[in-house]
Structures are given as C-alpha cells and as structure tokens.
Amino acid sequence: MGGESSSIKSKASSKYDPQEAEFIAGQMGDLPITFCDGGSGSGYPFKITRHWIGYLCLREVMRATVQVMGESRWGISEKVVLLDGRMFATKRFRSVSLCRKLFGKRVEKLAQVGKGCESLVQIRAYLYAKRIKVVLCDYHPMGSLADLLDGAREMGHTPLSWDQRLGIIRDVARAISYIHSQSPVQEKGLHLNVHGNIKTSNVMVRTNFSACLSEYGFVQLAEPTEPVTQPEKLTHKNDIYGFGVMVLDMLGGPRAPLEISCIVKRQDEISEGVLGFFEFIVEGRERKQALRVLDLALACSNKFTEARPSMEHVLLLLGDLYSG
C-alpha cells in the first residue's frame, strides 16, 4: 500500500509517534486482531487462522518495528515488522465513522472478493479500537510503482524497461477489470465493483516485476481528513480515468498527466518522432507498442466521461499488443 505521493515520505515519518503507540498499546493492548480468509500471496497458506499465525493482539502490532511508507487524505501506510519477523503492510485510517460491526463486515467482504484475483494485494486482518483502525495486508518489499519511478527519476536507479512497464500496465488492467466485473455491484452500501483510488502509489511491484493493485475499496472504509469540494464519485469511468493518468505518468513522466490537452494536440509530432515524449529509451517494435499504449492512455483520460473505453476493451487492446 502506498501513500498519496512519494515526495512526502520523509515528512510522513514524523507522523508515527512511538510514545503514542506505547500508550495505546498499554491502554488497549489485549484487543485481538481479526483475521480474514486470505488468498495466495507472500507465501501464506490459503486460509490464515489463529492456529497457524498464533494469537496476535494490538500490543504486538503497536510495539512492532514500524516504517512509514506514505500518507494520504485517508490515513498512513506503514510497513510493520512483528517481533517474530513477520511483515505486513498496514493502513492506519485517520477518520472512520463506520461502527465496529460494519467496518469489520466491509473489510472481510473486500478480502473475500480480493482473494479471487492474484493482481490484487491480499487483505489479511484488521483491528477496530476506539483510537485506532488498521487493516493489515501482504507486504511487497519492492515497494510501489511510484517508488520505482521516483527512484529512477530522482536517485539515478535503473529505470523500468518497456517490457516491465507494459507488464505492470496489463496487471493493473486485469485487477481493475476483475473489480469492475463484480456482481452484485453493491452489498449493504459497499460498492464492490469500483476501486476508487487508482494511482501509481497504490500499485505494488513484486520481485519478478509483476504488479498487484492495493487499497481496493479502502475509500469506503474511512473519510478524507482534508476538505474536498467535490468528492469523486465511485464509478467505472473514474477508475478508468485514474488508470489513464497512471499510464501517462509511466510513459512520459510526472508532468504528462498535467499536460493531456497539449499531448493530444501534438500527438502526430510524437508519433513521427519530431517531439520527444517517452522518458525511457524505446525503438522499433517497442516504440510502436508504446505509441499504441499512449493512444489508450489518452482515451482513458478523455475529459468526456462517456468517451472513455471500458476496462474490458482496454484489456483486449493490451492483449493484442502481446499477441501481435
């Protein structure tokens, strides 16, 4: 699970207060963590039970080694290393108005749906207490797509190749398509067929450079702490727009999503090689593929909602690139 942006990670580290954690652990430390049925991921058994994982309570989580990975309007993303060495990625929500029962039911339902898709980060457990609400998920040591992109741009790390980028794009498209195919689309007010927050920091990359999408449905577990003038609606088309913006970032760098209208106007120049656009070296057949993916990203980020393609159509086009 990633944060709002990688650029605020150093600031985010100040948000974790060991003294506060110790106080919470002391006050409510014996509260047990509730485990969900898990899917395949991080080497865990198909179903996590207390018999396998042992008794785990708030005290153990709060006194674990914690590294802040990022933050957003909804909460703080952290890497938690328990005393026995087990690692989780956690989302600690800032503001939750749901009651304990409804929060738990929503988390368990999201976990149940998520286990059907290997391109979704698996939800493992959750905790609901007066002063803290946390969801525990599989941890991916390679970090997020945002981490890898920023590492190449700002610290000179080896950039992702075109094949790696294309594979990540397809994995994310698979995850979104799976989410969008859910039926029934709602269950007791929970939208099951929408992700709600597609961005590079919510894409986790595995060691083989395959990818999985994190924070499925998390925007429906908490409220943003910063005022939002026009809350984004939970729709397929908004998910697809977020996907398009993510792909533009992967192709042309962080400014590309801010210059969509300019890119559209100068697309012929980009195609002919007169105007540079791609932030990585790409030639020949791969350049033709990248140009087709650029067309797709611009279609997904079209300002006219109804003009955006369905994720099923996106997957078909990406499949054609692989087979072609």
Side-chain angles (χ1 to χ4, degrees):
M1 291 179 291
E4 189 71 13
S5 70
S6 296
S7 63
I8 63 172
K9 282 187 178 178
S10 59
K11 297 178 185 177
S13 61
S14 64
K15 298 293 184 181
Y16 180 73
D17 186 343
Q19 291 184 339
E20 180 188 19
E22 187 72 17
F23 173 79
I24 295 173
Q27 293 292 310
M28 300 176 289
D30 290 331
L31 285 172
I33 304 295
T34 303
F35 288 93
C36 309
D37 287 346
S40 58
S42 294
Y44 292 114
F46 181 74
K47 184 174 182 179
I48 291 183
T49 65
R50 283 207 181 89
H51 175 71
W52 170 78
I53 204 165
Y55 181 79
L56 180 62
C57 65
L58 174 61
R59 179 178 288 111
E60 184 174 355
V61 174
M62 295 304 294
R63 289 179 175 167
T65 301
V66 174
Q67 175 188 344
V68 175
M69 298 189 292
E71 63 177 310
S72 70
R73 292 175 298 172
W74 286 272
I76 300 175
S77 298
E78 298 163 325
K79 170 189 173 182
V80 172
V81 183
L82 302 180
L83 299 178
D84 62 6
R86 283 173 290 153
M87 290 182 286
F88 293 95
T90 68
K91 187 73 171 187
R92 184 150 53 97
F93 296 105
R94 300 180 189 278
S95 176
V96 175
S97 62
L98 298 174
C99 68
R100 182 195 304 270
K101 182 178 180 181
L102 185 55
F103 181 87
K105 283 186 176 297
R106 288 194 173 189
V107 173
E108 290 175 2
K109 186 61 182 181
L110 293 171
Q112 178 188 357
V113 173
K115 73 179 182 181
C117 180
E118 64 177 10
S119 296
L120 285 174
V121 172
Q122 299 300 304
I123 297 172
R124 296 303 180 183
Y126 65 92
L127 172 87
Y128 187 107
K130 183 177 181 181
R131 294 186 60 178
I132 185 169
K133 285 85 177 171
V134 177
V135 174
L136 287 76
C137 301
D138 283 351
Y139 172 70
H140 294 276
M142 284 278 284
S144 71
L145 174 59
D147 294 333
L148 295 180
L149 293 174
D150 289 346
R153 293 163 182 167
E154 300 174 9
M155 292 177 278
H157 295 172
T158 303
L160 293 167
S161 68
W162 168 242
D163 283 342
Q164 289 168 343
R165 292 173 199 250
L166 183 58
I168 290 169
I169 290 168
R170 186 171 68 163
D171 286 342
V172 175
R174 283 172 173 163
I176 300 172
S177 180
Y178 172 79
I179 292 170
H180 287 187
S181 70
Q182 292 307 303
S183 179
V185 298
Q186 282 193 52
E187 185 173 295
K188 296 182 179 178
L190 176 65
H191 295 265
L192 297 173
N193 70 332
V194 180
H195 182 280
N197 196 18
I198 309 291
K199 56 184 181 180
T200 56
S201 56
N202 279 342
V203 176
M204 300 296 110
V205 181
R206 300 186 179 99
T207 53
N208 64 356
F209 290 98
S210 64
C212 48
L213 186 60
S214 70
E215 301 202 8
Y216 161 50
F218 279 20
V219 297
Q220 299 180 77
L221 299 177
E223 295 75 45
T225 53
E226 297 174 10
V228 180
T229 53
Q230 288 185 320
E232 192 170 279
K233 294 180 180 179
L234 293 172
T235 66
H236 286 187
K237 295 298 185 180
N238 281 342
D239 275 355
I240 291 164
Y241 181 85
F243 174 80
V245 168
M246 180 202 79
V247 175
L248 285 173
D249 187 349
M250 295 177 69
L251 297 178
R255 288 199 58 81
L258 306 175
E259 300 172 345
I260 294 175
S261 59
C262 179
I263 296 169
V264 171
K265 289 178 183 177
R266 307 191 68 178
Q267 198 170 357
D268 287 342
E269 295 174 67
I270 294 172
S271 298
E272 294 165 5
V274 176
L275 179 66
F277 174 74
F278 300 109
E279 70 165 1
F280 48 92
I281 298 174
V282 62
E283 297 174 338
R285 181 183 69 87
E286 292 184 346
R287 178 175 170 78
K288 291 180 181 178
Q289 287 181 327
L291 287 170
R292 290 183 64 186
V293 173
L294 174 58
D295 289 341
L296 185 60
L298 292 172
C300 291
S301 56
N302 194 307
K303 65 180 179 180
F304 297 108
T305 305
E306 295 308 315
R308 299 170 196 162
S310 68
M311 193 50 63
E312 183 179 9
H313 182 63
V314 169
L315 262 184
L316 286 174
L317 292 176
L318 291 173
D320 288 343
L321 286 182
Y322 272 90
S323 61

